[in-house]
Amino acid sequence: MRFRRGAGHGLDLHQARDDLPLRAVLEDAAMGRWEGPRDLLAGTGADWDRRIFRLQVLARAGARLRFADTWARAEPRSGDALALLAHVQAVRSMISGAGAGRAEMEAAWATCLAAAEAAPADPSPWVVMLALLRVHAPGRNVLEQVWAEVVRRDPYNREAHHELLTYLFPRNHGSGAEMFHWAQEQADTAPRGLPVAVLPLVALAESHRHRMETVAGSYGSYGLSIHPWIDCPHIDPVLDGWWRHRSPQPHAQFMDDANYLAHALAFAGRHAEAYEVFRAIGPYASEVPWAYCGDARELFLRHREWAVRAVRDGRRPPRARRR
């Protein structure tokens, strides 16, 4: 169930989250002006994490608009323009689907290659290719080649890791065992303090979603009292591998990763520990993974209140009904 915009309780559901420059540029782009995206991406420089986040948000806005196409025509040799167009074309191909979107996928792939040639150090075109492979051409040989190109440029790129993990989801081209093995391997070998440590929680949430969908047929009665976050072995490694040693400057997708951690702590009944994570999230609730367990907005607000109460009263809040 999706969050309802303007739903009160101080939630801010803007897709740009706390990236205020990106918010301003989105307003310009909505009116067809591409100069704002050009200046924003130029100013982002080689901060690949922030660059990819901004490209993704701009692409979602640009999928049904033409500012990216206009910019690429105006500056056909610009690596920034080509990178944005590649993202936009990829989103369009995914909206069309695996069959109807094939021609759009091929156009996006060609634009990715052009963007990679224009800016050889930039990992973002290769991250787009990972997404295209997941939807349109799930061959493992090409996947391995594209993954190697990303790793060569930015070995712990957060978004690339999430794209490959999504490829391995049982609903896509992998299995539960392969998904968990890869997520754990990446988390175990990444340097401390990087959000790659969160990957096992992503795999766990997807496993629960898949089980609820395939076994129960819906998010109904099955799983109200059984879920995988009780005595979860993945939470403490995430706290120690990322949260307690994270950078003082949050990475671009910090809110998404923090929501996975807050959700896991909350459903494990560790509300007092979740308080710090909810404070860091502030108003930027995410739909996933909360929506895998019921109404996303209701669950986020409920568990946030229990976390506040647990710290304020120095006791555990009433045990939640498990979903």
Side-chain angles (χ1 to χ4, degrees), residues 9-224:
H9 294 278
L11 297 185
D12 186 335
L13 308 178
H14 195 287
Q15 60 182 332
R17 304 294 176 84
D18 58 344
D19 191 329
L20 299 183
L22 177 57
R23 288 189 181 221
V25 165
L26 283 170
E27 295 178 7
D28 281 348
M31 293 182 279
R33 296 197 289 260
W34 53 266
E35 293 83 358
R38 178 194 61 191
D39 296 343
L40 180 71
L41 292 174
T44 307
D47 182 345
W48 305 129
D49 174 73
R50 180 66 56 179
R51 175 181 174 82
I52 290 172
F53 174 69
R54 288 173 167 174
L55 283 167
Q56 289 177 329
V57 174
L58 287 166
R60 288 194 291 271
R64 302 188 187 280
L65 300 171
R66 307 304 298 179
F67 65 86
D69 308 76
T70 304
W71 179 16
R73 285 195 298 269
E75 298 184 356
R77 296 182 181 178
S78 166
D80 289 345
L82 291 168
L84 178 57
L85 182 60
H87 277 76
V88 168
Q89 291 172 329
V91 172
R92 289 171 181 163
S93 76
M94 293 172 194
I95 292 172
S96 298
R102 183 71 189 189
E104 292 167 315
M105 177 267 186
E106 292 174 354
W109 192 272
T111 305
C112 285
L113 293 175
E117 183 177 357
D122 182 10
S124 69
W126 303 97
V127 175
V128 176
M129 289 182 186
L130 290 176
L132 290 170
L133 288 169
R134 169 170 50 85
V135 176
H136 295 285
R140 292 290 179 108
N141 290 338
V142 178
L143 179 76
E144 292 173 2
Q145 294 172 26
V146 172
W147 175 251
E149 294 291 345
V150 176
V151 170
R152 186 161 66 87
R153 290 163 173 81
D154 190 15
Y156 301 107
N157 185 277
R158 187 262 184 202
E159 198 59 25
H161 279 78
H162 279 257
E163 282 292 352
L164 203 147
L165 181 61
T166 304
Y167 180 100
L168 296 176
F169 284 176
R171 60 176 149 135
N172 292 323
H173 312 293
S175 66
E178 186 179 24
M179 170 184 71
F180 272 111
H181 175 77
W182 191 84
Q184 194 62 59
E185 180 181 48
Q186 299 305 309
D188 289 345
T189 57
R192 181 174 284 181
L194 296 183
V196 173
V198 181
L199 290 174
L201 292 183
V202 178
L204 190 66
E206 172 60 21
S207 176
H208 179 68
R209 185 211 64 79
H210 185 70
R211 182 183 67 172
M212 294 292 285
E213 184 177 82
T214 58
V215 177
S218 67
Y219 298 114
S221 59
Y222 181 76
L224 286 176

Side-chain angles (χ1 to χ4, degrees), residues 253-271:
Q253 296 277 40
F254 172 84
M255 301 305 174
D256 293 82
D257 292 328
N259 269 271
Y260 271 103
L261 179 56
H263 175 272
L265 287 167
F267 274 79
R270 297 167 63 171
H271 293 94

